[in-house]
């Protein structure tokens, strides 16, 4: 356990020194600051105003930005150490493969999750300072959703990094996965639905297997419980799940998915040639 925490600490220090971490933190912190400057907390849309609307806008933007940031900054964790021979150097010490792998995951999770979380904490602190109503229920649920989304894409990134030998290929694969989950999957499902080759419930179920899609639907359900913006799809979701159960599934499923990919990545990493 001591070696695992040491690896996590070293990865955390390396990430903080890197320029990408500064950009990463400024993107999310600057996003919150920009919303305050733009007067988002002073406007009202669909009955939501103040910090509730600010957190709503923040979570909608995060759906797109967070996965690609996690993928491109994490997918080179192992492959980058292999390219620079750091992996060979680290394993020359009395450190096991398990300690190295899970230590890297722990350190990188702290690095990618805390800036996103602290941006929301900053919004809450500012809201307390100006005397605004604090939507603690939405804050807690959004924290859970961000935690689960981070877990899912962190596991996917380490899975890719475990079998790809060069950083360039790892970046290419990660970018393709992000594009596929963001756009191409929905386009493919819409075309299938138009051709009526499959049952609509099957198509919707496949769509919800996408961690970005289930994250988006859960975030929408927090301010629009009837899911009116989603059209006929809402009837299938609401008839199948209660809102509370659906939100819990939306938090649990990406975490499980991330753990599955992380363990698959570890098995590949432990079995294949390391250098």
């Amino acid at each position: 356990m001591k070696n695992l925490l040491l690896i996590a600490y070293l990865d955390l220090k390396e990430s903080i020194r890197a320029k990408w971490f500064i950009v990463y933190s400024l993107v999310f912190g600057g996003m919150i600051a920009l919303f305050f400057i733009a007067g988002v907390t002073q406007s009202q849309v669909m009955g939501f105003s103040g910090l509730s609307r600010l957190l709503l806008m923040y979570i909608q933007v995060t759906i797109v930005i967070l996965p690609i940031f996690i993928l491109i900054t994490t997918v080179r964790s192992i492959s980058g150490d292999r390219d620079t021979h750091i992996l060979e150097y680290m394993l020359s010490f009395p450190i096991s493969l398990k300690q190295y792998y899970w230590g890297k995951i722990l350190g990188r999770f702290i690095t990618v999750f805390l800036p996103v979380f602290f941006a929301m904490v900053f919004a809450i602190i500012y809201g307390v300072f100006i005397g605004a109503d604090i939507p603690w229920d939405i804050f807690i649920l959004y924290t859970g959703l961000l935690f689960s989304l981070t877990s899912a894409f962190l596991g996917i990134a380490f899975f890719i990094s475990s079998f790809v030998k060069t950083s360039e290929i790892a970046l290419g694969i990660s970018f393709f996965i992000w594009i596929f989950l963001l756009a191409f999957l929905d386009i493919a499902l819409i075309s299938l639905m138009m051709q009526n080759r499959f049952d609509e419930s099957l198509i919707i179920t496949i769509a919800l297997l996408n961690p970005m899609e289930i994250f988006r639907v859960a975030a929408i359900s927090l301010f629009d419980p009837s899911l009116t913006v989603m059209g006929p799809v809402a009837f299938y979701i609401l008839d199948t799940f209660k809102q509370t159960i659906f939100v819990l599934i939306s938090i649990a499923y990406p975490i499980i998915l991330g753990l599955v990919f992380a363990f698959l990545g570890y098995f590949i990493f432990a079995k294949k040639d390391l250098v």
Side-chain angles (χ1 to χ4, degrees):
M1 193 67 183
K2 181 180 179 181
N3 288 339
L4 187 147
L5 294 177
L6 180 60
I7 295 294
Y9 175 70
L10 292 175
D11 187 79
L12 183 61
K13 285 185 62 177
E14 180 184 353
S15 299
I16 293 176
R17 287 198 303 264
K19 294 180 180 179
W20 70 262
F21 180 78
I22 299 175
V23 176
Y24 181 76
S25 301
L26 288 177
V27 165
F28 292 101
M31 195 187 307
I32 290 291
L34 182 62
F35 289 158
F36 279 121
I37 294 173
V40 170
T41 56
Q42 307 301 322
S43 60
Q44 180 172 338
V45 174
M46 296 181 63
F48 275 72
S49 61
L51 287 179
S52 297
R53 189 180 175 221
L54 184 146
L55 293 176
L56 171 63
M57 292 185 62
Y58 176 72
I59 209 74
Q60 293 296 320
V61 177
T62 303
I63 295 173
V64 179
I65 298 177
L66 183 60
I68 187 60
F69 259 111
I70 293 175
L71 287 173
I72 63 176
T73 57
T74 305
V75 79
R76 295 176 294 177
S77 294
I78 297 177
S79 59
D81 285 356
R82 187 183 290 113
D83 289 345
T84 57
H85 304 291
I86 293 177
L87 175 59
E88 185 177 1
Y89 174 74
M90 290 294 296
L91 295 179
S92 65
F93 294 96
I95 297 175
S96 66
L97 296 178
K98 182 184 296 186
Q99 292 168 344
Y100 171 82
Y101 184 86
W102 295 108
K104 295 284 287 186
I105 287 184
L106 178 60
R108 191 53 56 100
F109 181 86
I110 294 173
T111 305
V112 298
F113 177 71
L114 286 186
V116 183
F117 174 71
F118 281 146
M120 287 203 305
V121 172
F122 171 74
I124 295 297
I125 293 174
Y126 185 81
V128 172
F129 179 75
I130 63 176
D133 293 332
I134 308 300
W136 291 111
D137 52 344
I138 294 179
F139 172 76
I140 294 172
L141 289 173
Y142 278 175
T143 300
L145 288 173
L146 289 174
F147 183 93
S148 64
L149 188 69
T150 302
S151 302
F153 281 92
L154 195 70
I156 293 172
F158 270 91
F159 171 73
I160 298 171
S161 188
S162 65
F163 66 84
V164 175
K165 291 187 176 181
T166 63
S167 300
E168 291 77 12
I169 297 177
L171 286 174
I173 294 175
S174 63
F175 188 74
F176 171 78
I177 290 175
W178 177 69
I179 290 292
F180 179 76
L181 294 178
L182 183 65
F184 293 162
L185 184 58
D186 285 343
I187 294 173
L189 291 173
I190 289 173
S191 64
L192 288 174
M193 185 175 293
M194 292 178 64
Q195 296 175 14
N196 291 320
R197 294 183 179 180
F198 298 99
D199 184 69
E200 287 81 0
S201 60
L202 175 63
I203 295 174
I204 295 172
T205 301
I206 295 174
L208 291 178
L209 291 177
N210 178 355
M212 293 178 66
E213 187 70 22
I214 197 170
F215 179 92
R216 183 172 69 90
V217 177
I220 292 174
S221 70
L222 294 180
F223 72 91
D224 183 16
S226 60
L227 298 176
T228 55
V229 298
M230 299 193 65
V233 177
F235 295 105
Y236 173 79
I237 297 176
L238 296 176
D239 290 342
T240 306
F241 306 100
K242 293 182 179 179
Q243 182 195 9
T244 304
I245 296 177
F246 182 76
V247 172
L248 291 177
I249 293 175
S250 302
I251 294 175
Y253 167 68
I255 294 176
I256 296 173
L257 184 68
L259 288 174
V260 169
F261 275 105
F263 275 103
L264 288 175
Y266 170 71
F267 291 138
I268 294 174
F269 175 70
K271 295 296 183 181
K272 68 175 297 186
D273 293 335
L274 298 179
V275 292

